């Protein structure tokens, strides 16, 4: 298949690996964070770490939309779904994220709540049209990639005059999370992991472009290479980061030129700007409260804002005591550092959010790497 198979060629991957091995400087370490769960999944699935020299450390970032959703937001969604006559619609992975009191959306559905799994936000509008006598809420989650479709359905609902449709908006923003990882008060609690550079998001960057990362390169002197989700994309991005670090450069480079431009998708950005505005703060699982890191629906579309319509109040809820998702999402621990990894916590019985989606670091390690995890625990530098 064009644009897939040619980016999975093992022979080419080994050639890039040879180049990386030839160019890394002995005695120097290269600590690279792959921000996105898609990259984490590709690294685990294709065994890319086995191709890299030992002085390159790949550190998982928080770019898995399901993983960063805090328990309190799932609790809010369950409470909505349990209202009489309500239909709650959401994307499939969200269904299994653990919530309070041993619940999840899937368990709430089993107990009788009308919760529907969707592949597309547009399906939620269709369901609202089919059930004019019921209230329908779309539980919207995700990074900049899934935000434009949510904006579109709100505009569509307005155009259709749908009075029984609203959106519980939980969309979050990538650049704010990267800033937070690099510099935030919470590093005192978790420690911080020294980072030398970033493999930048693929799908997110198709929407926002490469320009927003220029700030990190300049302000924090960290190179960023935007990469696609195929194995050769990731290997090539690692080679580009090694070269930048060797040459003492900190720039934004774009490996994913087949889909990402500096400006991004202007139409999608205009659509998002019309419907959403910044929240002053938003809690991320693992990162805590992150200023200006999420979106809410603008007052002009308040009729479609479930938070306003149903008076949703957010209550922060701590993670399960045994769960290390918070530290994993910050890159300071790895899945194998969690005592319940692969024993009590598995993809069939997730205790934390990182074990739910295939993009979650724990799920990726469990599926592809748990039998040969010989990695050393991540370095922790107490502040
Ligand atoms: S193994 Fe499970 S409980 Fe442990 S950090 Fe991962 S998701 Fe959380």
């Amino acid at each position: 298949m064009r644009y897939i198979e040619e980016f999975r060629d093992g022979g080419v991957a080994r050639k890039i690996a040879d180049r990386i091995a030839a160019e890394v400087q002995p005695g120097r370490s290269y600590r690279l964070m792959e921000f996105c769960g898609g990259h984490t999944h590709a690294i685990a699935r294709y065994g890319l770490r086995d191709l890299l020299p030992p002085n390159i450390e790949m550190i998982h970032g928080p770019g898995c939309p399901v993983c960063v959703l805090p328990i309190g937001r799932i609790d809010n969604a369950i409470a909505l779904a349990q209202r009489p006559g309500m239909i709650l619609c959401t994307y499939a992975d969200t269904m299994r994220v653990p919530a309070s009191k041993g619940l999840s959306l899937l368990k709430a559905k089993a107990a009788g709540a009308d919760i529907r799994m969707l592949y597309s936000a547009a399906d939620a509008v269709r369901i609202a049209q089919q059930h004019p006598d019921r209230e329908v809420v779309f539980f919207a989650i995700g990074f900049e990639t899934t935000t434009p479709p949510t904006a579109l359905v709100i505009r569509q609902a307005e155009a259709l005059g749908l009075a029984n449709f609203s959106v519980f908006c939980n969309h979050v923003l990538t650049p704010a999370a990267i800033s937070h990882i690099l510099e935030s008060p919470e590093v005192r609690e978790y420690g911080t992991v020294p980072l030398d550079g970033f493999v930048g998001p693929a799908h997110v960057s198709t929407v926002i472009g490469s320009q927003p990362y220029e700030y990190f390169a300049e302000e924090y002197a960290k190179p960023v290479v935007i990469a696609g989700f195929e194995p050769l994309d990731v290997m090539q991005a690692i080679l580009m980061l090694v070269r930048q670090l060797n040459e003492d450069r900190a720039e934004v480079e774009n490996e994913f030129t087949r889909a990402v431009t500096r400006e991004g998708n202007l139409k999608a950005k205009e659509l998002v700007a019309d419907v959403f505005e910044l929240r002053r703060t938003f809690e991320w699982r693992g990162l805590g409260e992150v200023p200006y890191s999420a979106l809410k629906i603008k007052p002009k579309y308040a009729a479609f804002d479930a938070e306003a319509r149903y008076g949703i109040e957010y209550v922060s809820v701590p993670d399960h005591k045994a769960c290390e998702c918070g530290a994993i999402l910050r890159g300071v621990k790895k899945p194998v550092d969690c005592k319940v990894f692969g024993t009590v916590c598995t993809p069939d019985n997730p205790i934390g959010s990182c074990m739910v989606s295939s993009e979650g670091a724990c799920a990726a390690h469990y599926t592809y790497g748990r039998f040969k995890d010989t990695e050393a625990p991540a370095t922790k530098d107490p502040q």
Side-chain angles (χ1 to χ4, degrees):
M1 191 186 295
R2 193 160 155 71
Y3 293 138
I4 293 192
E5 278 166 13
E6 60 264 60
F7 290 95
R8 294 180 181 174
D9 186 312
V12 179
R14 274 183 285 278
K15 279 186 190 154
I16 301 174
D18 289 345
R19 230 8 305 134
I20 293 170
E23 294 194 23
V24 290
Q25 295 171 346
R28 176 176 190 169
S29 60
Y30 299 80
R31 290 153 304 200
L32 310 177
M33 174 174 273
E34 83 274 5
F35 183 87
C36 277
H39 291 131
T40 301
H41 183 254
I43 290 166
R45 178 176 178 187
Y46 297 103
L48 301 187
R49 276 178 43 233
D50 295 350
L51 294 173
L52 297 174
N55 55 339
I56 294 186
E57 185 183 0
M58 298 308 296
I59 297 157
H60 312 309
C64 156
V66 168
C67 305
V68 298
L69 204 58
I71 288 174
R73 293 266 159 191
I74 306 280
D75 287 350
N76 287 150
I78 290 173
L80 270 176
Q82 289 171 333
R83 292 172 76 101
M86 176 67 74
I87 301 174
L88 186 92
C89 304
T90 194
Y91 297 124
D93 276 345
T94 318
M95 300 286 290
R96 301 194 310 119
V97 181
S100 297
K101 301 176 193 152
L103 273 177
S104 64
L105 285 166
L106 200 60
K107 288 178 183 167
K109 180 180 172 69
D114 192 346
I115 303 174
R116 317 241 180 137
M117 289 178 269
L118 305 181
Y119 288 107
S120 150
D123 290 341
V125 170
R126 183 180 47 75
I127 289 169
Q129 286 178 294
Q130 289 169 345
H131 300 278
D133 53 331
R134 308 269 303 273
E135 296 283 306
V136 176
V137 173
F138 175 49
F139 179 28
I141 71 149
F143 288 90
E144 289 91 337
T145 327
T146 49
T147 310
T150 304
L152 202 59
V153 294
I154 289 173
R155 292 239 296 232
Q156 191 185 359
E158 184 187 50
L160 291 168
L162 271 182
N164 64 331
F165 176 79
S166 58
V167 170
F168 179 28
C169 177
N170 293 272
H171 286 298
V172 288
L173 302 170
T174 306
I178 297 180
S179 294
H180 197 76
I181 289 168
L182 289 169
E183 183 179 47
S184 77
E186 286 80 5
V187 295
R188 286 188 208 99
E189 182 186 345
Y190 290 108
T192 187
V193 62
L195 295 174
D196 297 312
F198 288 91
V199 177
H203 294 164
V204 161
S205 304
T206 63
V207 176
I208 66 173
S210 64
Q211 191 269 335
Y213 310 105
E214 291 169 6
Y215 170 76
F216 309 108
E218 285 163 22
E219 188 70 20
Y220 299 103
K222 305 285 181 199
V224 179
V225 176
I226 293 157
F229 284 147
E230 296 302 327
L232 294 192
D233 290 316
V234 179
M235 291 298 288
Q236 180 64 25
I238 292 169
L239 176 59
M240 291 163 78
L241 282 168
V242 166
R243 284 180 176 162
Q244 282 207 46
L245 290 165
N246 287 351
E247 293 162 13
D248 213 14
R249 290 185 290 121
E251 298 166 11
V252 177
E253 292 181 321
N254 182 11
E255 182 280 336
F256 198 27
T257 51
R258 63 191 187 278
V260 172
T261 61
R262 183 170 183 270
E263 294 72 30
N265 185 327
L266 296 178
K267 274 198 170 168
K269 290 199 294 190
E270 277 168 23
L271 180 63
V272 169
D274 175 54
V275 175
F276 298 109
E277 62 188 19
L278 280 174
R279 286 182 193 268
R280 202 183 57 74
T281 183
F282 190 84
E283 185 184 352
W284 292 50
R285 195 181 290 226
L287 303 189
E289 291 288 337
V290 182
Y292 302 106
S293 65
L295 297 173
K296 62 181 180 180
I297 296 168
K298 279 185 172 172
K300 68 175 175 174
Y301 293 105
F304 303 98
D305 184 353
E307 273 181 278
R309 192 155 163 165
Y310 301 104
I312 297 171
E313 284 186 18
Y314 181 69
V315 178
S316 179
V317 179
D319 281 343
H320 190 287
K321 281 204 291 285
C323 182
E324 298 278 12
C325 280
I328 289 169
L329 288 164
R330 300 186 82 85
V332 297
K333 286 196 176 177
K334 302 199 172 191
V336 287
D337 298 329
C338 176
K339 289 189 180 67
V340 295
F341 172 78
T343 53
V344 179
C345 184
T346 64
D348 286 338
N349 179 42
I351 303 296
S353 59
C354 299
M355 193 58 98
V356 173
S357 157
S358 63
E359 293 187 3
C362 295
H365 276 256
Y366 183 89
T367 308
Y368 301 111
R370 71 191 145 122
F371 299 114
K372 54 187 178 64
D373 263 312
T374 53
E375 62 208 340
T379 318
K380 186 175 178 181
D381 291 340
Q383 296 295 297

